[in-house]
Amino acid sequence: MKKLSLFILVLLCACKTDKKNEYFDAIKANDVALFAPASGEWLYSHKEKGQTFEQFENSKHITPTKEANIIYIKPIGNFTAIQNKQIELLREYLEIYFQLETKIGEQASDDIIPAHARRELTKDYEQLLAGYILDSVLKKEKPLNGIALMGLTEKDLYPKPEWNFVFGLASYSQKIGVSSIYRLQDEKLTDSNFNLCLSRLLKICSHEIGHMFGLHHCIDANCVMNGTNSLPETDEHSIRLCSVCQKKLNTGINYDNKKRLNELADFFQRNKLIEELQLMKKDMVSTR
Ligand SMILES: [Zn+2]
Ligand SMILES: [Zn+2]
């Protein structure tokens, strides 16, 4: 009797895996091949080998547990109402994208960054030291039930005195990262650039947190996990995870692929992110 129930269980698991693979095989048709990298682009200067699904599977990567399963975003700075609206949309998007509860942690003022970890380049332009935020703020503040913590600053960031700026910095082993919205927002966030800036924020944060879940840079297709050297390059990259990267994320988090896809499409529709919606619709057609 025991043997029979074990056999049925194995059979059920095999059917489930087959169904999941069917999904990834179906959406593979919508993966778009990358062009050969041009001078200045990420893959031109970084000869990356990529990460196969098998390499991901054999790597050490985190999975949500009963005790730690929440993604946190911590805003640092004085954000305007329109910026706060964007952070709330980011929270909603990450919750759908990773299919994990996502919360906005307590907002902090820039005052928590001491003078030795900031520099004023002009009267209206001050930068914050990214490493300080990582080591002296986020490391201490990651809640016990947090699986990942993403700090978000309003001011620009720099990594070292000799560098001009940095978009963000992360410790993938500790599952903490910090990004700035400063350069994503074309100087000033308004109603007319809102969606372009939102799309960048969604791409950058889902990419960084994707690394925390063990996904390496993708060289297989135009994918949100592609490495990037500049904002124009980020703008060229797809917000969609390619089929191989989706299979990796799903193996780590174990969610319902169709539910995630429908919710992503609904998010893009409600927020009038039309190109992004078209990508989801193609996957919906392929998996009908
Ligand atoms: Zn990256
Ligand atoms: Zn990919």
Side-chain angles (χ1 to χ4, degrees), residues 14-286:
C15 287
K16 230 177 167 183
T17 311
D18 271 359
K19 206 142 199 219
K20 280 201 166 168
N21 283 335
E22 240 174 60
Y23 178 89
F24 303 118
D25 289 345
I27 63 164
K28 195 173 179 55
N30 301 323
D31 289 349
V32 175
L34 283 174
F35 289 116
S39 168
E41 289 182 346
W42 180 269
L43 279 176
Y44 193 84
S45 45
H46 298 83
K47 305 292 176 205
E48 293 186 321
K49 291 201 173 103
Q51 177 195 39
T52 63
F53 174 71
E54 288 70 28
Q55 284 168 336
F56 169 82
E57 231 185 351
N58 294 327
S59 71
K60 237 178 134 186
H61 55 263
I62 47 160
T63 50
T65 61
K66 249 193 213 160
E67 292 76 28
N69 51 34
I70 299 174
I71 295 171
Y72 282 90
I73 304 165
K74 183 177 179 68
I76 301 168
N78 299 316
F79 296 87
T80 60
I82 193 168
Q83 287 173 330
N84 277 324
K85 187 176 161 196
Q86 204 153 83
I87 294 172
E88 171 50 29
L89 287 171
L90 169 69
R91 186 208 64 75
E92 198 188 330
Y93 179 74
L94 293 177
E95 189 158 277
I96 296 170
Y97 183 98
F98 292 100
Q99 293 285 298
L100 289 172
E101 186 180 356
T102 303
K103 291 183 176 176
I104 298 177
E106 201 184 323
Q107 186 159 341
S109 134
D110 289 330
D111 296 347
I112 60 166
I113 318 294
H116 69 82
R118 53 206 292 166
R119 64 183 183 191
E120 200 172 285
L121 298 181
T122 65
K123 196 173 154 288
D124 301 317
Y125 177 41
E126 196 184 24
Q127 293 178 311
L128 307 174
L129 186 61
Y132 178 88
I133 298 176
L134 217 57
D135 295 333
S136 303
V137 180
L138 300 176
K139 205 166 155 183
K140 292 179 193 158
E141 285 200 15
K142 188 170 162 219
L144 287 176
N145 62 1
I147 191 163
L149 168 61
M150 190 81 207
L152 214 54
T153 65
E154 190 259 330
K155 288 192 171 154
D156 201 18
L157 296 169
Y158 70 105
K160 286 176 185 175
E162 59 272 29
W163 283 56
N164 291 340
F165 77 94
V166 69
F167 281 113
L169 203 65
S171 163
Y172 301 131
S173 61
Q174 298 185 55
K175 321 299 171 211
I176 52 175
V178 59
S179 274
S180 167
I181 60 166
Y182 182 83
R183 287 175 190 266
L184 311 184
Q185 306 207 330
D186 296 339
E187 303 206 342
K188 193 172 192 289
L189 184 63
T190 61
D191 286 338
S192 55
N193 68 5
F194 190 88
N195 272 5
L196 172 64
C197 300
L198 175 64
S199 169
R200 290 170 176 166
L201 186 65
L202 303 182
K203 283 179 187 174
I204 284 177
C205 291
S206 56
H207 176 109
E208 286 306 319
I209 300 173
H211 279 316
M212 295 182 201
F213 280 98
L215 275 72
H216 290 190
H217 280 158
C218 176
I219 59 165
D220 296 324
N222 191 348
C223 170
V224 77
M225 288 312 294
N226 296 147
T228 180
N229 256 349
S230 65
L231 215 46
E233 202 180 349
T234 301
D235 290 340
E236 287 296 312
H237 290 164
S238 177
I239 202 163
R240 172 182 177 270
L241 266 181
C242 76
S243 61
V244 178
C245 292
Q246 281 199 46
K247 192 172 172 183
K248 294 176 194 170
L249 192 68
N250 183 258
T251 303
I253 303 181
N254 195 23
Y255 47 74
D256 180 332
N257 289 296
K258 283 198 175 175
K259 174 177 174 284
R260 175 180 183 272
L261 178 59
N262 288 335
E263 289 176 2
L264 283 172
D266 181 57
F267 177 90
F268 292 140
Q269 181 142 37
R270 275 186 284 117
N271 292 292
K272 301 185 175 57
L273 289 160
I274 306 306
E275 276 176 40
E276 292 80 353
L277 174 63
Q278 294 313 323
L279 296 172
M280 300 303 112
K281 281 193 169 167
K282 277 188 186 169
D283 283 349
M284 287 161 93
V285 169
S286 303

